[in-house]
Amino acid sequence: MFVIEPMPPQIPDDLVALLERVETATVGHVLHSGFVDRRIAAVLPGKRVAGTAVTIRIPHADSALLHWLTAEVRPGDVVLVDRCGDDRHACWGGVITNAMKLAGVKAGVVDGPATDFSEIVRVDMPMWCRGPSSITTKLLGLEGAVNVPVSVGGQVVHPGDAVLCDESGVIVLDPARARAVAEKAIAMQENEIVLLDRLRRGEKLPDISGARAMVEAKRVR
């Protein structure tokens, strides 16, 4: 059985642009939730992309629904794949990479392995996964679901969520609070530029951060 829900509304272009100014590690100073398992890592380090979550759940060795989805995705989407715990079969390879890239998909995030990394590099398709595998899925036509809540890297993802991916990881945000999170993170990044300038001018980090005062206040003498 295949469950197909409607494609979610896409987050505004200006919010996407704002999020793409943010480092996920900066958000990590503010939030402790929303992050997918750090072992879901970038195939192309140095990429930072944001977009609208399109979710898909496919079991084990069956990738028929992922093939189907390549005709439905839109420019600006980020496809997040729940593999139902399967860490053996690579559902995303060279053909899917090309089909998703041609459709304008911003990135793929797979809670499992992928394959054909050289093709991912050649096509320049931002991709996050649990590493490579030579064992691939097949067109079995068994079951799956599109645009339902899924679990990716221990994180619940809803269709239409805002997704931010970079070399440090992937974070999923409620679109209603994504702008506030992004603005706070950007302010922190701007403050960091000032901090680095102070270091270059000779100040010491523990004096700027307050760590020296904390340690000295409780130092055993």
Side-chain angles (χ1 to χ4, degrees), residues 173-187:
L173 299 166
D174 181 336
R177 64 188 299 233
R179 189 178 302 274
V181 171
E183 289 172 347
K184 184 168 185 177
I186 290 168

Side-chain angles (χ1 to χ4, degrees), residues 156-168:
V156 175
V157 186
H158 295 88
D161 279 346
V163 186
L164 174 62
C165 316
D166 68 11
E167 62 187 6
S168 296

Side-chain angles (χ1 to χ4, degrees), residues 47 67 77 90 94 96 108 119 123 138-139 175 197 208-209 216:
K47 296 291 185 181
H67 280 239
D77 287 338
I96 294 294
E119 188 68 2
V123 174
K138 313 296 188 292
L139 293 176
D197 185 61
I208 299 172
S209 69
E216 293 298 333

Side-chain angles (χ1 to χ4, degrees), residues 7-13 15-17 19-20 49-54 72-80 100-108 125 160-165:
M7 296 294 282
Q10 291 186 297
I11 64 176
D13 290 343
L15 178 54
V16 172
L19 285 167
E20 289 184 341
V49 295
T52 303
V54 169
E72 306 299 319
V73 286
R74 309 152 298 182
D77 287 338
V78 175
V79 176
L80 295 103
M100 292 294 190
K101 183 76 172 186
L102 289 168
V105 167
K106 297 286 289 289
M125 179 71 189
D161 279 346
V163 186
L164 174 62
C165 316

